[in-house]
Structures are given as structure tokens and as C-alpha cells.
Amino acid sequence: MKKSYLYDFYGELLTQHQRQVYEQVVFEDLSASEVARAAGISRQGVHDMIRRCERILEEYESKLHLVEKFLHIRSNVQRIQECTDSILKEHPLEEVERIKSIASDILEEL
């Protein structure tokens, strides 16, 4: 899952060739041999590129912390929803329903 988040946040910062190879191996589950044949590089070249891409994505995260912040915000909004769920069971207040709606909107946008 972390690979997906890293790629979602920073994948556009890779070259087109790197993105293509990375997507084929990581997301399409193609073998290194299949990707190597299609890309005109060696199997070892595919493995090296995947490692390089992973390192690049991790370096961006270590500097920008976007995935970490996203996961933290998502967790907090989910906690808000849980709190409002428990309050709504006993007190169907309009304000609590508005908070729940706002939390849902935020989660959808993330």
C-alpha cells in the first residue's frame, strides 16, 4: 500500500520511461523479463530501475512528508466520524450531523 501512495503523490516526478516500467512491474504485475523485452533493456536493468524509482520516491517522501501528512489527516477525520457516530446514537443534533458531513467530504477529497 505504501508503494501506491508514494507513486500517487510523487510518480509524476519520475521520467515517463521510469513510470512506464515501474507501473508494469509494480501495478500490472508483469515479470522483469516481459518488461525488459518490451522496453528493450535487460532484466537487470528493469530491477535496477525499480530500485532506483523506489529510492527516488522514498527520498521525496523523506523531504516533503506528503504521504505521512495525508495518512495522518485521514486518520483524524476517521476518528471524527467515529466520535460523531457515537454521539448521533444518543443525541441526533443538527450540528453533529454537519460535522459528520464535513468529515465525509474531507475523506472523499483525500
Side-chain angles (χ1 to χ4, degrees), residues 60-100:
Y60 282 124
E61 176 60 12
S62 72
K63 292 175 183 166
L64 301 172
H65 306 285
L66 296 178
V67 173
E68 178 185 333
K69 290 174 187 174
F70 166 80
L71 293 173
H72 181 73
I73 291 168
R74 189 176 74 170
S75 172
N76 282 338
V77 172
Q78 287 171 334
R79 288 174 49 212
I80 290 170
Q81 282 187 317
E82 290 167 5
C83 290
T84 56
D85 282 344
S86 66
I87 292 171
L88 280 172
K89 288 178 184 173
E90 300 193 20
H91 307 286
L93 305 172
E94 186 176 304
E95 284 300 308
V96 175
E97 290 173 0
R98 284 183 42 208
I99 292 169
K100 185 166 177 59

Short mmCIF file of all heavy atoms in Angstrom, two decimals, residues 60-100:
data_model
loop_
_atom_site.label_atom_id
_atom_site.label_comp_id
_atom_site.label_asym_id
_atom_site.label_seq_id
_atom_site.Cartn_x
_atom_site.Cartn_y
_atom_site.Cartn_z
N TYR A 60 11.74 11.69 -1.97
CA TYR A 60 10.75 12.76 -2.00
C TYR A 60 9.93 12.76 -0.71
O TYR A 60 9.67 13.80 -0.12
CB TYR A 60 9.83 12.64 -3.21
CG TYR A 60 10.44 13.12 -4.50
CD1 TYR A 60 10.51 12.28 -5.61
CD2 TYR A 60 10.93 14.41 -4.63
CE1 TYR A 60 11.07 12.72 -6.81
CE2 TYR A 60 11.50 14.86 -5.81
CZ TYR A 60 11.56 14.01 -6.90
OH TYR A 60 12.11 14.44 -8.08
N GLU A 61 9.50 11.58 -0.28
CA GLU A 61 8.70 11.49 0.93
C GLU A 61 9.49 11.94 2.15
O GLU A 61 8.96 12.62 3.03
CB GLU A 61 8.17 10.06 1.13
CG GLU A 61 7.40 9.86 2.41
CD GLU A 61 6.15 10.71 2.57
OE1 GLU A 61 5.69 11.36 1.59
OE2 GLU A 61 5.61 10.76 3.68
N SER A 62 10.77 11.59 2.21
CA SER A 62 11.58 11.98 3.37
C SER A 62 11.76 13.50 3.45
O SER A 62 11.95 14.05 4.52
CB SER A 62 12.94 11.28 3.35
OG SER A 62 13.77 11.83 2.35
N LYS A 63 11.65 14.17 2.31
CA LYS A 63 11.78 15.62 2.29
C LYS A 63 10.44 16.34 2.43
O LYS A 63 10.36 17.37 3.08
CB LYS A 63 12.47 16.06 1.00
CG LYS A 63 13.91 15.64 0.92
CD LYS A 63 14.53 15.98 -0.41
CE LYS A 63 15.97 15.47 -0.43
NZ LYS A 63 16.53 15.46 -1.76
N LEU A 64 9.41 15.80 1.82
CA LEU A 64 8.13 16.51 1.76
C LEU A 64 7.07 15.97 2.73
O LEU A 64 6.15 16.70 3.10
CB LEU A 64 7.58 16.46 0.33
CG LEU A 64 8.48 17.09 -0.73
CD1 LEU A 64 7.95 16.83 -2.13
CD2 LEU A 64 8.62 18.58 -0.48
N HIS A 65 7.14 14.72 3.08
CA HIS A 65 6.22 14.08 4.04
C HIS A 65 4.76 14.17 3.63
O HIS A 65 3.88 14.22 4.49
CB HIS A 65 6.40 14.66 5.44
CG HIS A 65 7.80 14.62 5.94
ND1 HIS A 65 8.40 13.47 6.38
CD2 HIS A 65 8.73 15.60 6.04
CE1 HIS A 65 9.63 13.73 6.75
NE2 HIS A 65 9.87 15.01 6.54
N LEU A 66 4.47 14.20 2.34
CA LEU A 66 3.08 14.33 1.90
C LEU A 66 2.25 13.09 2.22
O LEU A 66 1.08 13.21 2.61
CB LEU A 66 3.02 14.63 0.39
CG LEU A 66 3.64 15.95 -0.05
CD1 LEU A 66 3.55 16.09 -1.57
CD2 LEU A 66 2.97 17.12 0.64
N VAL A 67 2.81 11.91 2.05
CA VAL A 67 2.09 10.68 2.35
C VAL A 67 1.82 10.60 3.85
O VAL A 67 0.70 10.30 4.28
CB VAL A 67 2.85 9.43 1.85
CG1 VAL A 67 2.17 8.15 2.31
CG2 VAL A 67 3.00 9.45 0.34
N GLU A 68 2.83 10.91 4.63
CA GLU A 68 2.67 10.90 6.09
C GLU A 68 1.56 11.86 6.53
O GLU A 68 0.70 11.51 7.34
CB GLU A 68 4.00 11.29 6.74
CG GLU A 68 3.97 11.37 8.24
CD GLU A 68 5.29 11.89 8.79
OE1 GLU A 68 6.35 11.71 8.15
OE2 GLU A 68 5.26 12.49 9.88
N LYS A 69 1.56 13.07 5.98
CA LYS A 69 0.54 14.06 6.32
C LYS A 69 -0.84 13.59 5.88
O LYS A 69 -1.83 13.74 6.62
CB LYS A 69 0.87 15.40 5.68
CG LYS A 69 2.07 16.08 6.30
CD LYS A 69 2.46 17.33 5.54
CE LYS A 69 3.75 17.90 6.06
NZ LYS A 69 4.23 19.03 5.26
N PHE A 70 -0.92 13.04 4.68
CA PHE A 70 -2.19 12.54 4.16
C PHE A 70 -2.76 11.46 5.08
O PHE A 70 -3.93 11.50 5.45
CB PHE A 70 -1.99 11.98 2.75
CG PHE A 70 -3.13 11.15 2.26
CD1 PHE A 70 -4.27 11.75 1.76
CD2 PHE A 70 -3.07 9.76 2.29
CE1 PHE A 70 -5.33 10.98 1.30
CE2 PHE A 70 -4.12 8.99 1.85
CZ PHE A 70 -5.26 9.60 1.35
N LEU A 71 -1.92 10.49 5.45
CA LEU A 71 -2.38 9.40 6.31
C LEU A 71 -2.80 9.91 7.68
O LEU A 71 -3.78 9.43 8.26
CB LEU A 71 -1.30 8.32 6.43
CG LEU A 71 -1.00 7.56 5.13
CD1 LEU A 71 0.20 6.63 5.32
CD2 LEU A 71 -2.21 6.79 4.65
N HIS A 72 -2.10 10.91 8.19
CA HIS A 72 -2.44 11.49 9.48
C HIS A 72 -3.80 12.21 9.42
O HIS A 72 -4.66 12.03 10.29
CB HIS A 72 -1.34 12.46 9.93
CG HIS A 72 -1.58 13.09 11.25
ND1 HIS A 72 -1.47 12.41 12.43
CD2 HIS A 72 -1.97 14.35 11.57
CE1 HIS A 72 -1.76 13.22 13.43
NE2 HIS A 72 -2.07 14.41 12.93
N ILE A 73 -4.00 13.00 8.37
CA ILE A 73 -5.27 13.71 8.21
C ILE A 73 -6.41 12.72 8.05
O ILE A 73 -7.47 12.86 8.67
CB ILE A 73 -5.20 14.68 7.00
CG1 ILE A 73 -4.26 15.84 7.30
CG2 ILE A 73 -6.60 15.19 6.63
CD1 ILE A 73 -3.91 16.68 6.08
N ARG A 74 -6.19 11.70 7.22
CA ARG A 74 -7.24 10.70 7.01
C ARG A 74 -7.61 10.01 8.31
O ARG A 74 -8.78 9.81 8.62
CB ARG A 74 -6.80 9.69 5.97
CG ARG A 74 -7.92 8.74 5.55
CD ARG A 74 -7.50 7.82 4.47
NE ARG A 74 -6.62 6.82 5.07
CZ ARG A 74 -6.21 5.74 4.46
NH1 ARG A 74 -6.54 5.53 3.21
NH2 ARG A 74 -5.44 4.87 5.07
N SER A 75 -6.61 9.68 9.10
CA SER A 75 -6.84 9.03 10.39
C SER A 75 -7.65 9.93 11.32
O SER A 75 -8.59 9.47 11.98
CB SER A 75 -5.51 8.65 11.03
OG SER A 75 -5.70 8.19 12.33
N ASN A 76 -7.29 11.20 11.38
CA ASN A 76 -8.01 12.14 12.24
C ASN A 76 -9.46 12.33 11.79
O ASN A 76 -10.37 12.39 12.62
CB ASN A 76 -7.30 13.49 12.30
CG ASN A 76 -6.10 13.45 13.21
OD1 ASN A 76 -6.00 12.61 14.10
ND2 ASN A 76 -5.19 14.37 13.00
N VAL A 77 -9.68 12.41 10.50
CA VAL A 77 -11.05 12.57 10.00
C VAL A 77 -11.86 11.31 10.30
O VAL A 77 -13.03 11.40 10.68
CB VAL A 77 -11.05 12.90 8.49
CG1 VAL A 77 -12.47 12.88 7.94
CG2 VAL A 77 -10.42 14.27 8.25
N GLN A 78 -11.25 10.15 10.17
CA GLN A 78 -11.96 8.92 10.52
C GLN A 78 -12.31 8.89 12.00
O GLN A 78 -13.40 8.44 12.38
CB GLN A 78 -11.13 7.70 10.13
CG GLN A 78 -11.09 7.48 8.63
CD GLN A 78 -10.10 6.41 8.20
OE1 GLN A 78 -9.12 6.14 8.87
NE2 GLN A 78 -10.37 5.81 7.05
N ARG A 79 -11.43 9.41 12.84
CA ARG A 79 -11.72 9.49 14.27
C ARG A 79 -12.88 10.45 14.54
O ARG A 79 -13.74 10.19 15.38
CB ARG A 79 -10.47 9.93 15.04
CG ARG A 79 -9.42 8.81 15.10
CD ARG A 79 -8.11 9.22 15.73
NE ARG A 79 -8.26 9.90 17.00
CZ ARG A 79 -7.44 10.85 17.44
NH1 ARG A 79 -6.42 11.23 16.71
NH2 ARG A 79 -7.62 11.41 18.61
N ILE A 80 -12.92 11.55 13.80
CA ILE A 80 -14.05 12.48 13.92
C ILE A 80 -15.35 11.77 13.57
O ILE A 80 -16.35 11.89 14.28
CB ILE A 80 -13.85 13.72 13.02
CG1 ILE A 80 -12.73 14.60 13.55
CG2 ILE A 80 -15.15 14.52 12.89
CD1 ILE A 80 -12.30 15.70 12.58
N GLN A 81 -15.33 11.01 12.48
CA GLN A 81 -16.53 10.29 12.08
C GLN A 81 -16.96 9.30 13.16
O GLN A 81 -18.14 9.17 13.46
CB GLN A 81 -16.30 9.55 10.77
CG GLN A 81 -16.37 10.45 9.56
CD GLN A 81 -16.30 9.67 8.28
OE1 GLN A 81 -15.51 8.74 8.15
NE2 GLN A 81 -17.12 10.05 7.31
N GLU A 82 -16.01 8.59 13.74
CA GLU A 82 -16.33 7.63 14.79
C GLU A 82 -16.95 8.33 16.01
O GLU A 82 -17.93 7.85 16.58
CB GLU A 82 -15.08 6.85 15.21
CG GLU A 82 -14.58 5.89 14.15
CD GLU A 82 -13.18 5.37 14.43
OE1 GLU A 82 -12.61 5.66 15.51
OE2 GLU A 82 -12.64 4.67 13.56
N CYS A 83 -16.39 9.46 16.37
CA CYS A 83 -16.93 10.22 17.51
C CYS A 83 -18.35 10.70 17.22
O CYS A 83 -19.24 10.59 18.07
CB CYS A 83 -16.05 11.42 17.84
SG CYS A 83 -14.46 11.00 18.54
N THR A 84 -18.56 11.23 16.03
CA THR A 84 -19.90 11.72 15.71
C THR A 84 -20.90 10.57 15.59
O THR A 84 -22.06 10.73 15.95
CB THR A 84 -19.91 12.57 14.42
OG1 THR A 84 -19.36 11.81 13.35
CG2 THR A 84 -19.13 13.85 14.61
N ASP A 85 -20.45 9.41 15.12
CA ASP A 85 -21.33 8.24 15.07
C ASP A 85 -21.84 7.90 16.46
O ASP A 85 -23.03 7.64 16.66
CB ASP A 85 -20.61 7.03 14.47
CG ASP A 85 -20.50 7.09 12.97
OD1 ASP A 85 -21.22 7.89 12.35
OD2 ASP A 85 -19.68 6.34 12.41
N SER A 86 -20.93 7.88 17.43
CA SER A 86 -21.34 7.51 18.79
C SER A 86 -22.23 8.58 19.42
O SER A 86 -23.17 8.27 20.14
CB SER A 86 -20.13 7.22 19.67
OG SER A 86 -19.37 8.38 19.87
N ILE A 87 -21.98 9.84 19.11
CA ILE A 87 -22.81 10.93 19.65
C ILE A 87 -24.20 10.89 19.01
O ILE A 87 -25.21 11.07 19.68
CB ILE A 87 -22.14 12.30 19.42
CG1 ILE A 87 -20.89 12.42 20.27
CG2 ILE A 87 -23.11 13.43 19.72
CD1 ILE A 87 -20.04 13.64 19.96
N LEU A 88 -24.23 10.63 17.71
CA LEU A 88 -25.51 10.62 16.99
C LEU A 88 -26.46 9.55 17.51
O LEU A 88 -27.68 9.70 17.42
CB LEU A 88 -25.29 10.42 15.49
CG LEU A 88 -24.88 11.65 14.70
CD1 LEU A 88 -24.50 11.26 13.29
CD2 LEU A 88 -26.00 12.67 14.68
N LYS A 89 -25.91 8.46 18.04
CA LYS A 89 -26.76 7.39 18.55
C LYS A 89 -27.62 7.87 19.71
O LYS A 89 -28.74 7.40 19.90
CB LYS A 89 -25.91 6.20 18.98
CG LYS A 89 -25.30 5.46 17.81
CD LYS A 89 -24.43 4.32 18.27
CE LYS A 89 -23.78 3.67 17.06
NZ LYS A 89 -22.79 2.69 17.44
N GLU A 90 -27.10 8.79 20.49
CA GLU A 90 -27.83 9.25 21.67
C GLU A 90 -28.38 10.66 21.52
O GLU A 90 -29.36 11.01 22.16
CB GLU A 90 -26.92 9.18 22.90
CG GLU A 90 -26.46 7.75 23.15
CD GLU A 90 -25.83 7.60 24.51
OE1 GLU A 90 -26.08 8.43 25.39
OE2 GLU A 90 -25.11 6.62 24.67
N HIS A 91 -27.74 11.48 20.69
CA HIS A 91 -28.15 12.88 20.55
C HIS A 91 -28.18 13.26 19.07
O HIS A 91 -27.18 13.75 18.54
CB HIS A 91 -27.18 13.81 21.29
CG HIS A 91 -26.97 13.44 22.70
ND1 HIS A 91 -27.91 13.66 23.67
CD2 HIS A 91 -25.93 12.85 23.32
CE1 HIS A 91 -27.44 13.23 24.84
NE2 HIS A 91 -26.25 12.73 24.64
N PRO A 92 -29.30 13.06 18.39
CA PRO A 92 -29.36 13.42 16.96
C PRO A 92 -29.41 14.93 16.76
O PRO A 92 -30.42 15.51 16.45
CB PRO A 92 -30.64 12.74 16.49
CG PRO A 92 -31.47 12.57 17.70
CD PRO A 92 -30.52 12.48 18.87
N LEU A 93 -28.30 15.57 16.98
CA LEU A 93 -28.22 17.02 16.87
C LEU A 93 -27.81 17.44 15.46
O LEU A 93 -26.97 16.80 14.82
CB LEU A 93 -27.19 17.56 17.88
CG LEU A 93 -27.41 17.18 19.34
CD1 LEU A 93 -26.23 17.60 20.17
CD2 LEU A 93 -28.68 17.82 19.85
N GLU A 94 -28.35 18.55 15.03
CA GLU A 94 -28.05 19.06 13.69
C GLU A 94 -26.56 19.40 13.55
O GLU A 94 -25.95 19.13 12.52
CB GLU A 94 -28.90 20.29 13.41
CG GLU A 94 -28.76 20.81 12.00
CD GLU A 94 -29.68 21.97 11.73
OE1 GLU A 94 -30.90 21.82 11.93
OE2 GLU A 94 -29.17 23.02 11.33
N GLU A 95 -25.95 19.97 14.57
CA GLU A 95 -24.53 20.34 14.50
C GLU A 95 -23.65 19.11 14.35
O GLU A 95 -22.67 19.13 13.60
CB GLU A 95 -24.12 21.13 15.75
CG GLU A 95 -24.59 22.56 15.76
CD GLU A 95 -24.05 23.36 14.58
OE1 GLU A 95 -22.82 23.36 14.36
OE2 GLU A 95 -24.86 23.97 13.88
N VAL A 96 -23.97 18.05 15.04
CA VAL A 96 -23.18 16.83 14.94
C VAL A 96 -23.31 16.25 13.54
O VAL A 96 -22.32 15.78 12.96
CB VAL A 96 -23.63 15.80 16.01
CG1 VAL A 96 -22.89 14.49 15.84
CG2 VAL A 96 -23.40 16.35 17.41
N GLU A 97 -24.49 16.32 12.98
CA GLU A 97 -24.68 15.83 11.61
C GLU A 97 -23.88 16.66 10.61
O GLU A 97 -23.34 16.12 9.65
CB GLU A 97 -26.17 15.83 11.27
CG GLU A 97 -26.95 14.78 12.04
CD GLU A 97 -28.46 14.87 11.83
OE1 GLU A 97 -28.91 15.76 11.07
OE2 GLU A 97 -29.17 14.06 12.44
N ARG A 98 -23.79 17.95 10.85
CA ARG A 98 -22.98 18.81 9.97
C ARG A 98 -21.50 18.45 10.07
O ARG A 98 -20.79 18.41 9.07
CB ARG A 98 -23.19 20.28 10.32
CG ARG A 98 -24.52 20.79 9.79
CD ARG A 98 -24.76 22.25 10.04
NE ARG A 98 -23.60 23.08 9.80
CZ ARG A 98 -23.39 24.24 10.43
NH1 ARG A 98 -24.24 24.68 11.32
NH2 ARG A 98 -22.32 24.95 10.16
N ILE A 99 -21.04 18.17 11.29
CA ILE A 99 -19.63 17.77 11.48
C ILE A 99 -19.37 16.48 10.73
O ILE A 99 -18.36 16.33 10.04
CB ILE A 99 -19.29 17.62 12.98
CG1 ILE A 99 -19.31 18.99 13.67
CG2 ILE A 99 -17.93 16.93 13.16
CD1 ILE A 99 -19.25 18.92 15.18
N LYS A 100 -20.27 15.54 10.85
CA LYS A 100 -20.12 14.25 10.17
C LYS A 100 -20.08 14.44 8.66
O LYS A 100 -19.28 13.84 7.95
CB LYS A 100 -21.25 13.32 10.56
CG LYS A 100 -21.12 11.93 10.00
CD LYS A 100 -22.06 10.99 10.69
CE LYS A 100 -22.01 9.62 10.11
NZ LYS A 100 -20.71 9.01 10.14
#
